[in-house]
Amino acid sequence: MVAVDAFISPSQPMALVQSVASEKGADKVGVQTATQSYADLSAWPIIVHEPTVLAVQSGLTEGRYSAGIVFTSFAMAHADRFEVVEPIGTVCDAWIVYGRQAVDDGRAVVWDDSPVARQFRTQIGRSSAPGGS
């Protein structure tokens, strides 16, 4: 497998949520590993790592832990069972796409008119103009 593409995409809004009832997993919080720094988890002595946010949602539903970082829509859909402890909001994720065949032909693959390329050109234009900063 080789990297063939990459992109940046915002997530759905996220939140740290907890069960409104005490359950067997009261001392545990579930997280997808990349999300564990999004909120203060110090109230839970045991952090359970899951492969996806959806797996965290399943763990909450099944009562394997009492809190977790999940999509806010999950808490809203199950407001009778879960409450938002800390809203996190939307997080921009960087994704790398892998494929079986390289697309670079030994050269860099660059989007010449990407948003950041346009920002750099605009900034360079400002700084090189007479009186620019």
Side-chain angles (χ1 to χ4, degrees):
M1 300 300 281
V2 294
V4 297
D5 204 352
F7 62 94
I8 299 169
S9 177
S11 70
Q12 295 179 41
M14 301 184 81
L16 172 60
V17 306
Q18 70 180 9
S19 173
V20 295
S22 61
E23 297 181 17
K24 62 181 178 182
D27 58 346
K28 299 176 186 170
V29 60
V31 299
Q32 190 280 336
T33 303
T35 68
Q36 74 181 30
S37 65
Y38 294 172
D40 179 7
L41 306 179
S42 61
W44 296 272
I46 300 170
I47 298 174
V48 178
H49 292 94
E50 296 285 7
T52 65
V53 173
L54 295 178
V56 175
Q57 292 178 176
S58 292
L60 284 166
T61 301
E62 295 164 7
R64 288 188 277 130
Y65 27 81
S66 65
I69 296 177
V70 296
F71 298 124
T72 305
S73 59
F74 171 82
M76 299 302 107
H78 303 282
D80 58 323
R81 292 188 57 198
F82 302 100
E83 63 186 354
V84 172
V85 175
E86 184 177 336
I88 295 167
T90 299
V91 179
C92 283
D93 295 316
W95 293 84
I96 299 175
V97 181
Y98 293 92
R100 295 184 187 276
Q101 186 173 352
V103 297
D104 62 6
D105 296 327
R107 297 175 279 125
V109 178
V110 179
W111 179 13
D112 293 330
D113 196 35
S114 70
V116 73
R118 289 190 303 267
Q119 286 177 345
F120 287 148
R121 281 194 299 277
T122 299
Q123 186 62 38
I124 288 169
R126 281 189 207 135
S127 64
S128 63
S133 53

